[in-house]
Amino acid sequence: MKNDPALSIGRRTLLKGVGAAAGLASAGSLLSVVPGRAQDLYKIKLQLGWLASNGVLGEVVAAGRGFFEEEGLELEIVAGGPNIDGVASVASGANNLGSISSSPSLMLARSAGLPIKCIAAGYQQHPFTYFSLSDKGNVKVPQDLIGKKVATQGTARILIRALLAKNGISEDDVEVSVMGGDMSPLMTGQVDVATGWDTNVGALSVLGDKRVDMSLWDTGIELYANPYYTTDKMLTEHGDKVAGAIRAISRGWGWAYENVEAAVDMLVERYPNLDKASEMIAVPMVLAYSFNEKTAAKGWGTMTKENWQNQIDIYDSLEQFTNETPEVDDIMTLDVLEATADTRPTFG
């Protein structure tokens, strides 16, 4: 799949738009007191690939602190879920920005012909983990999976296939079954290994001090989590709005990094179903995935073409692409990150 120049984002056009957005930001304090201000804001409809949780901590903070308004924007968070195809809703134009759990979903969507492109990586390292118990399974490295029973989510079966291929292990040597979101198959001894995100402290609490972790990242499968994406058309026609949204979101995550408890309070107030005590444990872990040595150097949301190319190569070797293997420039662009480089926080 060749990159269509007509669909690519022109840096000069984007930077020009960013300048206009910056002008709106500088006038934000004046405009905010003018009656009817809300109708002047451009709405960013952020489609999630999951039910709202601490994965939108930065967005909640950015909206609460007025960072979107300073960009001439307002934010609407659209919750996802197991029966919602968030990527399709963004591709169709129903929503104009999206965030999804894992980067491969965007590669597969582009291969299937959807005109979407990643613009930033929310988490620098994927939290997906293989959990076992020290007295049963005790899986610490990929080779420990040989002869084991592994329960994983249906959408994550491809991840264990990639893990096994990367580490030279035959799929016949591991028994894989499908599980839901809790750890009961592991706790009841039905399986030796169960999978999930290590930021899900509620579900993992039942494992206690016998818990053993093997992260997907440490097995050589380096995926991005919570990548942000939009359409080719949105980038071409409203690149300044996309840049403004990423600037606001990055500032929200940066503020949360420096004000953890206050940020958690804002999150729990916005989503009362969340428990503050649990979030105070989970959020520092989330922030550690959002900020590391890479963001210290290049700012929140950074990503590389090299990482994306490695992901393409792994999925191509497993014959996962519906049509042609996408090229890296079809899947992602660094233009938005470059246009917001002077604002995105550099913690890590």
Side-chain angles (χ1 to χ4, degrees), residues 318-330:
L318 294 170
E319 300 180 344
Q320 291 301 299
F321 295 117
T322 326
N323 300 316
E324 290 183 54
T325 301
E327 295 188 2
V328 69
D329 289 334
D330 296 325

Side-chain angles (χ1 to χ4, degrees), residues 264-334:
V264 168
D265 285 338
M266 295 175 72
L267 179 69
V268 173
E269 181 180 0
R270 175 66 178 81
Y271 299 106
N273 60 303
L274 300 178
D275 174 66
K276 180 177 178 179
S278 296
E279 295 304 326
M280 285 300 297
I281 298 171
V283 163
M285 300 169 63
V286 167
L287 291 169
Y289 283 120
S290 302
F291 295 97
N292 63 9
E293 68 281 356
K294 295 183 179 70
T295 57
K298 298 206 170 177
W300 176 92
T302 191
M303 57 186 181
T304 68
K305 286 189 175 185
E306 291 77 14
N307 180 291
W308 278 103
Q309 187 61 59
N310 288 338
Q311 294 183 54
I312 293 171
D313 293 342
I314 290 170
Y315 273 68
D316 189 29
S317 70
L318 294 170
E319 300 180 344
Q320 291 301 299
F321 295 117
T322 326
N323 300 316
E324 290 183 54
T325 301
E327 295 188 2
V328 69
D329 289 334
D330 296 325
I331 293 171
M332 56 84 75
T333 177
L334 296 175

Side-chain angles (χ1 to χ4, degrees), residues 146-267:
I146 296 174
K148 299 295 195 304
K149 296 179 180 179
V150 179
T152 193
Q153 295 73 27
T155 54
R157 291 184 70 110
I158 183 60
L159 298 182
I160 192 166
R161 289 191 63 211
L163 181 163
L164 297 175
K166 180 75 173 180
N167 291 278
I169 301 171
S170 170
E171 293 184 25
D172 294 335
D173 289 337
V174 181
E175 183 179 332
V176 180
S177 60
V178 175
M179 64 178 282
D182 64 70
M183 293 289 120
S184 57
L186 179 58
M187 293 302 296
T188 58
Q190 298 175 62
V191 298
D192 305 301
V193 181
T195 65
W197 285 34
D198 73 358
T199 53
N200 190 354
V201 296
L204 297 175
S205 61
V206 298
L207 302 185
D209 59 5
K210 294 182 179 180
R211 171 180 150 187
V212 178
D213 295 9
M214 180 179 72
S215 74
L216 180 68
W217 186 278
D218 288 340
T219 70
I221 307 300
E222 299 182 352
L223 309 180
Y224 291 123
N226 291 16
Y228 293 83
Y229 64 97
T230 189
T231 61
D232 297 322
K233 181 178 180 181
M234 186 72 180
L235 286 169
T236 301
E237 297 181 0
H238 301 287
D240 58 326
K241 307 299 192 300
V242 175
I246 291 300
R247 191 162 39 239
I249 291 169
S250 71
R251 291 177 62 197
W253 280 100
W255 194 92
Y257 184 87
E258 294 188 302
N259 304 274
V260 175
E261 185 167 6
V264 168
D265 285 338
M266 295 175 72
L267 179 69

Side-chain angles (χ1 to χ4, degrees), residues 46-57 59-60 77-82 84 226 267 270-275 279:
L46 175 63
Q47 172 69 62
L48 304 182
W50 64 91
L51 297 174
S53 65
N54 54 36
V56 289
L57 177 67
E59 285 79 353
V60 169
I77 297 175
V78 183
I84 297 174
N226 291 16
L267 179 69
R270 175 66 178 81
Y271 299 106
N273 60 303
L274 300 178
D275 174 66
E279 295 304 326

Side-chain angles (χ1 to χ4, degrees), residues 43-47 74-78 94-98:
K43 179 174 283 190
I44 295 294
K45 297 181 69 176
L46 175 63
Q47 172 69 62
E74 64 175 317
L75 174 68
E76 178 184 342
I77 297 175
V78 183
N95 298 307
N96 52 20
L97 188 65

